[in-house]
Amino acid sequence: ATNVSYSLSSNFSLSQQILDGVPPNTTIAGPLNATYPQNFTLAFTVIENLNIAVACSMILDNSATPLGSVFNNSPVVRNFSAAHGRHNVSVSCSDSSDNTGNSAVMNFTTDIIAPSITFVSPSDANNSFASRNYTFINVTINDTNSIDSCVLEWSGTNQSINKIGSGNSVTCYVNKTGVEGNYNYTVYSNDSLGNLNSTQRIITFDTTKPSSN
């Protein structure tokens, strides 16, 4: 009888694949439904069930801006700018299994328009010659937002000016006196978002009577 021996060798490698059908939970916290200057802050958080980084994008007015990799459950705060007007923004995040989670859509407004400043009666016209030593400066100021302040710059020095009214339409006035000569003055005003505007005038006080020979 013949004895036959067999040898069996094996070389197997096993890999484990995790099936993930759960999209990232994306929660947006800002911007709120409010009015901002040109810059606004995007704030959001992503929770991924496998505790891995995900790829996110900001969707501003249907246009996507990549935000890169975002870590699980780590608050993200980024600053952006937008043109004047109404906007909508959301955040979309995808994991390595191509599951995509979209945040709620936030609506907001950006305002980059400064207040309008208009000289009204009895203000002297620009480049006036006044046969007195005073001028009454009177302006109306209007804006879509609240008027925060009005300031007079008289010959290079900032001075307080009276303000009547509140909200987005006010009147600012002051009576200025001076010795004979030329004066440059500017009225400044800014709204509650910091948008600043100014308007300038020149007046000459001439109190010297012509001499007669």
Side-chain angles (χ1 to χ4, degrees):
T2 303
N3 294 325
V4 180
S5 63
Y6 298 92
S7 64
L8 180 65
S9 64
S10 62
N11 185 15
F12 296 98
S13 62
L14 299 177
S15 63
Q16 183 180 26
Q17 183 177 11
I18 299 176
L19 298 179
D20 177 20
V22 180
N25 183 2
T26 308
T27 303
I28 187 170
L32 302 175
N33 184 12
T35 301
Y36 299 88
Q38 186 172 19
N39 297 323
F40 68 94
T41 299
L42 178 71
F44 67 96
T45 304
V46 181
I47 297 179
E48 162 59 37
N49 65 312
L50 296 182
N51 195 27
I52 57 176
V54 296
C56 296
S57 295
M58 176 184 70
I59 314 299
L60 177 63
D61 300 330
N62 299 318
S63 179
T65 300
L67 301 174
S69 295
V70 173
F71 292 102
N72 181 54
N73 202 22
S74 296
V76 178
V77 178
R78 303 278 180 87
N79 293 319
F80 294 94
S81 62
H84 179 85
R86 290 281 295 171
H87 303 280
N88 60 79
V89 64
S90 63
V91 177
S92 179
C93 296
S94 301
D95 61 21
S96 57
S97 297
D98 291 330
N99 299 307
T100 300
N102 299 312
S103 73
V105 176
M106 307 295 276
N107 298 295
F108 67 99
T109 301
T110 52
D111 176 16
I112 61 174
I113 297 179
S116 65
I117 306 173
T118 305
F119 282 96
V120 294
S121 180
S123 298
D124 288 302
N126 190 30
N127 292 313
S128 290
F129 284 80
S131 57
R132 43 182 156 79
N133 67 342
Y134 67 89
T135 184
F136 193 82
I137 301 168
N138 190 30
V139 297
T140 58
I141 303 174
N142 296 282
D143 194 74
T144 55
N145 296 296
S146 295
I147 305 301
D148 187 55
S149 67
C150 48
V151 174
L152 172 68
E153 180 189 329
W154 180 265
S155 293
T157 301
N158 288 344
Q159 303 178 12
S160 61
I161 185 171
N162 301 299
K163 177 184 171 189
I164 297 178
S166 61
N168 59 2
S169 182
V170 302
T171 297
C172 296
Y173 69 93
V174 68
N175 188 47
K176 291 298 299 178
T177 61
V179 298
E180 191 172 67
N182 298 321
Y183 293 91
N184 295 283
Y185 62 94
T186 305
V187 176
Y188 295 90
S189 181
N190 66 278
D191 61 21
S192 56
L193 295 178
N195 297 310
L196 178 68
N197 198 10
S198 65
T199 184
Q200 183 182 48
R201 283 194 172 182
I202 300 173
I203 191 168
T204 300
F205 295 153
D206 182 7
T207 58
T208 302
K209 295 181 180 181
S211 61
S212 58
N213 295 324

